[in-house]
Amino acid sequence: MEWNGLNKRKLRKALITIYNSSIKLDKFVSDELDRVLSEISTESSLDDRAFELLEEAVSGGWLDDLYQKFCTVNQSNCQIVKLHEDLKDTATFIGEEAKALVSPERVIGEPDSSNAVIRMEEGEGLVEDPNSVHLVVAVFWEKPSEQKVRIQPKLCYRKDNPREISQKPLMKDSCSIQIKEFPKFLEELVKVTAIELSRLFADPIHPWKLTIELFVPVDLLCFPLSKWCGQDSELLKTHPIVIGCSDRFDPSQMGGSANLHNQLKRGWQRFQNKVSDQAGSVLRNLDWLSSDLARQSTFEAYSGFQCYGDWLKADEASLSNWQELVRSGIPVALWMCEGSPQRQDITSVFNHLIDCTRFEFLDRIPIKRSELQRTCNHCIGVFYEDPNYVPDIPLAKEEQFFSWPGA
């Protein structure tokens, strides 16, 4: 790697973004580099400590080693992907330790019989990064009186062929837990996912990018993200987290589910008419309905929804609003799920999120969430349903979602 001033600055910014306190940076230096940061720098500023750390690494000839280990231990973090992209014009470095991570016994073989493969239609246009992975977690009510839910997780990913999606269940059977246990369950599920993906995507410098898609019953869509992920969860800052509605796939309500599926198909068609995955087709081109106009407009005429104020507030009074959004088939909605932000602030955040393709949109979510977490108490809520990654329907596994009668 050519470590000029610009590249060192990019690495320093990534370091202090991921290790956003002195103690976290100290631990990284001690655990991964076997050095003591206090002996390298006595500065109080985190940025200054990181600067002196990199200068010491340059003079000692071990900056490449620092970079490689930084990427390896944080390979699931979107900031690493961003750093790699920022440095992609220069040579990348993969040390022997990184190569050792990909030992023969850790590399997965041919896909097993549980893997399903979906082939995308051929055609010109934008495609998702082949290292993109979606952890789809479907949540269904089991015993509402006991606040108990049933969970079915699976992985959807593209690897060698960007037009081919492989699906792999993470459990042979669904499991049941209480809602209050879900944040810990999700945290452990992501750890299991990381182990599985380290076998599928072996390059620690340009690793997989994980999106977490939580499909939950419509009456639970009112929960703020902190309820699903934990109040201080690192997941909010490190991965795109989007919410969908599992009532579309609920095997106990097949008739209603089919209708909701068909509505999503129509909503997605409206979406694709505006954002067709072609160069220059960005999310700002969608017909966005704002919550200010929601009572005077027909939802079905729009392809996106932006929420100001209390329209999708986390309380029972907003349940009818969530139901209206789900029934409309609108596949993407944005809102602030915590705090009381000013409308102009929401507009500024939303404009930044949608000034890109739908693939880049997913990458921007955790970066913007992390920024807001540092500056205020607001958190971006994203409702996003992509038919490529919707969960399987247990009682109709051989059926394609949108080829049902009446679709």
Side-chain angles (χ1 to χ4, degrees), residues 269-289:
Q269 287 171 342
R270 298 196 301 269
F271 184 102
Q272 288 285 287
N273 287 337
K274 295 294 182 179
V275 182
S276 56
D277 292 343
Q278 300 294 323
S281 187
V282 297
L283 290 180
R284 68 169 180 266
N285 296 337
L286 288 179
D287 292 321
W288 288 99
L289 173 65

Side-chain angles (χ1 to χ4, degrees), residues 256-306:
S257 295
N259 180 62
L260 290 178
H261 270 297
N262 297 336
Q263 291 299 104
L264 180 58
K265 176 186 178 181
R266 297 185 185 100
W268 192 253
Q269 287 171 342
R270 298 196 301 269
F271 184 102
Q272 288 285 287
N273 287 337
K274 295 294 182 179
V275 182
S276 56
D277 292 343
Q278 300 294 323
S281 187
V282 297
L283 290 180
R284 68 169 180 266
N285 296 337
L286 288 179
D287 292 321
W288 288 99
L289 173 65
S290 73
S291 54
D292 286 351
L293 302 175
R295 291 303 183 198
Q296 295 93 37
S297 301
T298 301
F299 267 57
E300 286 74 6
Y302 295 86
S303 48
F305 183 72
Q306 294 183 345

Side-chain angles (χ1 to χ4, degrees), residues 4-57:
N4 56 29
L6 178 60
N7 284 348
K8 286 189 292 183
R9 185 177 68 182
K10 291 176 179 178
L11 176 56
R12 187 176 79 251
K13 288 182 66 176
L15 272 170
I16 63 177
T17 297
I18 291 178
Y19 301 120
N20 55 10
S21 68
S22 292
I23 188 64
K24 290 181 180 179
L25 186 60
D26 289 350
K27 288 179 179 178
F28 166 71
V29 174
S30 175
D31 294 348
E32 304 301 329
L33 303 174
D34 197 24
R35 300 172 192 271
V36 180
L37 185 57
S38 61
E39 295 179 357
I40 297 173
S41 174
T42 57
E43 295 294 332
S44 57
S45 163
L46 182 61
D47 186 67
D48 289 344
R49 287 170 73 84
F51 173 80
E52 293 197 353
L53 171 64
L54 297 188
E55 290 304 302
E56 178 72 12

